[in-house]
């Protein structure tokens, strides 16, 4: 007798994780691989925060916290909004989550019904559409391109057959690194407010920008849900901690969901989260390294034949249009991995329409790795016919 597997569980894989597995298999067989596939800091939690966590370990029983997190953490995040953006976000609108990934589940469950339609850009972070699908919400993909910096606009929304129930934006975005300019963001947030569209703003790459201003939706709309995380700028990826800024009408439903689904985010990570806001020097040194890495790739990727690059205003990604050099990005990425020893991610992870034409390079690693990857890619291109 076959026992069913729920259809909601049959979501596509997160391709970058499959690339990581293939790269690990090559490494286990003795090959040297340079990792430009994964989007995580190669640095750990800053020193002072690590020290603080060590002290807490000996002192605190680390039981459950409130579902919304330690009050001291919510207070500290609230202060962060004032200090960083000049925006008042009361601590009782902050909700700590198990990474932003846990935040998405709570945000989507509390804001959308099964059958709702939620618009989002393609290319975009794949988990948005896969989580929505598993919850019975229909992702309405908007094909965006270089002309709008790979970001959705009001005019895209107006062209949909009917206005959606929600809109997800990421700025800086994964995989393109592009930022929504402040005026456009204001227009988008105002349009969503006026038309009953719940805006979900993924701000996980805030803090990692290169000359552009990342705007928080918390300063533009009281109905928007803001999603953020300690995984990127704060360099605490494995600690699985994030937060939401929650509109007042969603706070209680979201709290009840969190109590039942997760009880609370990890207590030890929350203590680290409180301390990490005071580690600016180390965190800014990380950003300076990303800036150097970005400069290396923007200068050297064209020498390797990758010439059509998205602006990379922020985050740690360069999204390259490879359609002039290859027909199929997944095949190209496999060849680059196996023949040149450089792991990259095909655009198909981010975009079911045009992803086969793109490759994402992550520059979260060391500067030496960026140089080495370009040296390998250049040598490989010189001796390889791709088409
Ligand atoms: C745009 C974006 N949002 C959310 C996440 C999830 O991050 P976490 O769950 O570690 O906060 C990622 C991870 O790469 C991401 O790129």
């Amino acid at each position: 007798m076959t026992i069913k597997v729920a259809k909601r569980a049959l979501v596509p894989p997160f391709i970058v994780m499959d690339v990581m597995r293939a790269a690990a298999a090559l490494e286990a067989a003795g090959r040297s691989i340079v990792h430009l596939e994964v989007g995580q800091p190669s640095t750990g939690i800053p020193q002072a925060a690590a020290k603080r966590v060590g002290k807490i370990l000996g002192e605190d029983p680390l039981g459950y916290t409130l579902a919304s997190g330690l009050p001291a953490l919510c207070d500290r995040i609230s202060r962060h909004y004032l200090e960083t953006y000049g925006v008042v976000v009361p601590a009782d609108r902050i909700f700590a989550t198990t990474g932003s990934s846990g935040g998405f589940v709570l945000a989507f469950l509390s804001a959308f019904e099964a059958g709702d339609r939620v618009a989002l850009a393609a290319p975009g972070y794949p988990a948005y559409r896969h989580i929505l699908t598993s919850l019975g919400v229909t992702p309405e993909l908007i094909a965006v391109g270089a002309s709008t910096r790979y970001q959705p606009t009001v005019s895209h929304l107006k062209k949909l057959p009917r206005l959606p129930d929600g809109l997800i934006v990421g700025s800086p975005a994964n995989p393109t690194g592009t930022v929504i300019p402040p005026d456009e963001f204001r227009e988008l947030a105002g349009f969503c407010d006026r038309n009953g569209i719940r805006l979900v703003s993924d701000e996980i790459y805030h803090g990692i920008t290169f000359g552009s201003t990342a705007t928080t939706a918390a300063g533009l709309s009281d109905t928007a849900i803001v999603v953020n995380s300690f995984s990127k700028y704060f360099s605490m990826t494995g600690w699985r901690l994030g937060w939401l800024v929650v509109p007042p009408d969603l706070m209680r439903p979201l709290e009840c969901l969190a109590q039942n689904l997760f009880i609370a985010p990890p207590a030890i990570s929350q203590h680290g989260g409180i301390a990490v806001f005071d580690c600016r020097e180390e965190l800014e040194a990380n950003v300076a390294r990303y800036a150097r890495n970005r400069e290396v790739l923007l200068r050297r990727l064209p020498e390797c034949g990758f010439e059509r690059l998205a602006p990379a205003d922020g985050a740690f990604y360069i999204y390259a249009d490879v359609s002039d050099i290859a027909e199929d990005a997944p095949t190209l990425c496999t060849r680059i991995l196996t023949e040149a020893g450089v792991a990259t991610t095909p655009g198909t992870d981010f975009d079911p329409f045009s992803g086969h034409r793109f490759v994402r390079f992550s520059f979260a690693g060391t500067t030496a790795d960026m140089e080495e990857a370009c040296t390998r890619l250049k040598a490989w291109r010189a001796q390889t016919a791709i088409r």
Side-chain angles (χ1 to χ4, degrees):
M1 169 108 188
T2 324
I3 302 180
K4 78 175 179 191
V5 174
K7 283 203 197 75
R8 70 169 76 221
L10 304 179
V11 295
F14 193 177
I15 295 173
V16 68
M17 307 301 279
D18 288 349
V19 176
M20 283 167 72
R21 192 178 45 214
L26 288 171
E27 283 172 323
R31 289 281 307 278
S32 148
I33 303 296
V34 185
H35 291 272
L36 268 61
E37 82 282 37
V38 65
Q40 69 171 343
S42 49
T43 46
I45 186 172
Q47 299 275 317
K51 238 190 221 160
R52 173 81 192 129
V53 166
K55 192 157 176 294
I56 294 283
L57 269 179
E59 289 174 355
D60 193 294
L62 296 171
Y64 297 131
T65 68
L66 294 178
S68 54
L70 292 165
L73 175 64
C74 297
D75 283 344
R76 188 61 192 85
I77 294 171
S78 166
R79 178 143 73 87
H80 169 68
Y81 279 93
L82 200 56
E83 290 170 354
T84 309
Y85 309 98
V87 170
V88 176
V89 179
D92 62 7
R93 285 191 53 205
I94 309 281
F95 206 99
T97 57
T98 308
S100 71
S101 302
F104 288 124
V105 173
L106 291 171
F108 297 167
L109 276 172
S110 61
F112 306 123
E113 308 281 6
D116 279 356
R117 293 158 46 254
V118 173
L120 62 165
Y125 179 59
Y128 302 146
R129 62 181 197 278
H130 298 161
I131 298 172
L132 288 172
T133 305
S134 75
L135 298 176
V137 179
T138 305
E140 183 110 26
L141 295 184
I142 298 175
V144 294
S147 64
T148 62
R149 299 179 90 75
Y150 295 93
Q151 292 285 359
T153 60
V154 167
S155 127
H156 282 122
L157 292 178
K158 286 182 176 163
K159 280 188 203 135
L160 293 175
R162 77 197 147 86
L163 289 179
D165 301 287
L167 169 71
I168 303 173
V169 295
S171 169
N174 179 5
T176 57
T178 61
V179 165
I180 304 176
D183 288 351
E184 268 180 44
F185 209 161
R186 184 172 297 283
E187 194 192 349
L188 211 44
F191 183 83
C192 287
D193 257 346
R194 287 192 300 281
N195 289 284
I197 300 169
R198 183 73 73 176
L199 176 64
V200 180
S201 174
D202 183 353
E203 304 184 356
I204 185 170
Y205 291 105
H206 276 215
I208 309 175
T209 48
F210 311 103
S212 8
T213 311
T215 308
T216 177
L220 302 176
S221 160
D222 286 339
T223 63
I225 303 174
V226 172
V227 184
N228 210 321
S229 173
F230 288 87
S231 291
K232 309 293 178 178
Y233 173 75
F234 295 101
S235 198
M236 289 177 58
T237 319
W239 296 73
R240 311 309 303 132
L241 189 66
W243 77 84
L244 300 170
V245 177
V246 183
D249 59 331
L250 289 186
M251 198 45 152
R252 182 62 181 154
L254 198 138
E255 183 180 27
C256 295
L257 280 166
Q259 290 168 345
N260 284 284
L261 285 172
F262 304 118
I263 302 188
I268 190 68
S269 306
Q270 296 186 52
H271 286 286
I274 295 168
V276 81
F277 285 101
D278 297 325
C279 301
R280 288 289 167 189
E281 214 174 299
E282 231 179 288
L283 297 172
E284 287 303 317
N286 293 345
V287 178
R289 182 163 52 80
Y290 300 141
R292 285 196 297 279
N293 293 356
R294 171 179 178 271
E295 187 277 318
V296 169
L297 290 192
L298 289 177
R299 178 167 46 79
R300 293 194 62 189
L301 281 177
E303 296 168 6
C304 311
F306 301 98
E307 289 175 2
R308 300 197 276 176
L309 310 175
D313 304 321
F316 28 54
Y317 306 112
I318 290 181
Y319 201 52
D321 182 343
V322 296
S323 54
D324 55 335
I325 58 171
E327 253 145 45
D328 178 59
T331 309
L332 178 67
C333 289
T334 303
R335 289 195 62 186
I336 291 176
L337 175 63
T338 53
E339 296 170 20
V342 178
T344 58
T345 308
T348 40
D349 211 8
F350 313 100
D351 183 349
F353 306 134
S354 309
H356 60 282
R357 295 201 285 113
F358 291 86
V359 170
R360 187 192 75 173
F361 297 91
S362 162
F363 54 86
T366 64
T367 309
D369 273 354
M370 301 306 121
E371 296 281 10
E372 176 61 19
C374 292
T375 301
R376 290 185 186 193
L377 286 171
K378 194 170 177 184
W380 179 74
R381 277 306 301 276
Q383 64 193 31
T384 314
I386 301 182
R387 273 202 194 264

